[in-house]
Amino acid sequence: FMTCLIHQASAQKSYFQQRVDTRIWVTLHDGDHSLSALEEITYQNNSNQSLDRIYFHLWPNAYRSNRTALARQTLQNGKRGLYYAEPKDQGFIDSLAFSVNGKLVKWEILNEDTPDVAIVYLPQSLSPGEKIVISTPFHVKLPASFSRMGHIDQRYQITQWYPKPAVFDHQGWNPIPYLDQGEFYSEFGSF
């Protein structure tokens, strides 16, 4: 019984979950199937490590070209639409300008084949227990309906459409690309 309590206390002590509170002001432009928005995130580091960067999911970029993990996965599953889509039917997120506590910061796409993951570099390390406010304007061109996000004429399914911090857990960052199958691993917070 005592061994069980010690293991349980040890497991609870090492567990943490970052807190990500998000506010978004957004407008749907149905004439050109796009969104324009401003996002503000209060990010609290509940880990025992200092962070010098935060990975972000830019999942609308999964619809940007036939080189993305989503395009390759849907083609492997027999769905050819996204892989062979014309540019007018592809989607993306752009017009990003990340700032931390009001100061513009450097950021970059992870790599050419993973345009749906970005790294935002913090101006100073975020210590355990500290909070920062990350904000950015952004624009999303909604794709034709190939997966969970898209449109058919003026009918919309809009999911995973905003810049979203990747999960940082006991194993580190989880900057996974957007895929058609499976669910999304996300941080806790209020919207």
Side-chain angles (χ1 to χ4, degrees):
F1 176 74
M2 186 61 142
T3 303
C4 182
L5 286 177
I6 291 170
H7 286 295
Q8 184 180 12
S10 174
Q12 288 174 350
K13 191 174 187 179
S14 64
Y15 176 80
F16 68 90
Q17 187 173 15
Q18 308 293 57
R19 182 167 180 107
V20 178
D21 294 327
T22 305
R23 294 171 39 151
I24 304 173
W25 297 265
V26 61
T27 302
L28 169 65
H29 307 283
D30 61 352
D32 67 355
H33 312 296
S34 71
L35 305 170
S36 57
L38 174 66
E39 178 179 44
E40 181 181 276
I41 296 167
T42 301
Y43 187 99
Q44 181 172 330
N45 182 7
N46 292 326
S47 78
N48 62 0
Q49 298 178 43
S50 291
L51 305 176
D52 64 352
R53 66 192 66 196
I54 296 177
Y55 286 80
F56 268 79
H57 297 293
L58 304 177
W59 280 327
N61 279 345
Y63 299 89
R64 184 171 219 115
S65 76
N66 65 1
R67 295 181 63 168
T68 67
L70 175 63
R72 292 189 312 268
Q73 181 195 48
T74 55
L75 182 64
Q76 286 176 335
N77 291 338
K79 298 177 185 177
R80 302 165 45 99
L82 177 57
Y83 193 84
Y84 293 106
E86 296 179 29
K88 71 177 182 62
D89 293 326
Q90 294 172 338
F92 55 82
I93 188 170
D94 66 6
S95 304
L96 297 152
F98 287 98
S99 66
V100 174
N101 296 333
K103 179 181 176 186
L104 282 174
V105 294
K106 179 183 171 197
W107 70 278
E108 63 187 352
I109 296 293
L110 187 59
N111 62 55
E112 193 174 302
D113 291 335
T114 314
D116 49 349
V117 177
I119 305 168
V120 173
Y121 297 95
L122 304 181
Q124 60 188 42
S125 292
L126 181 63
S127 298
E130 289 185 337
K131 294 180 186 180
I132 54 172
V133 176
I134 304 166
S135 60
T136 186
F138 64 98
H139 168 262
V140 175
K141 181 195 175 285
L142 297 165
S145 187
F146 298 115
S147 181
R148 298 176 186 195
M149 180 171 69
H151 73 92
I152 299 171
D153 299 322
Q154 263 66 39
R155 291 172 287 155
Y156 297 94
Q157 53 192 34
I158 303 174
T159 62
Q160 308 297 332
W161 53 277
Y162 53 91
K164 184 176 180 179
V167 171
F168 182 78
D169 62 19
H170 68 284
Q171 295 179 329
W173 288 105
N174 292 268
I176 54 177
Y178 181 98
L179 296 173
D180 198 34
Q181 298 167 324
E183 290 304 318
F184 298 95
Y185 188 30
S186 302
E187 295 289 12
F188 168 79
S190 65
F191 285 81

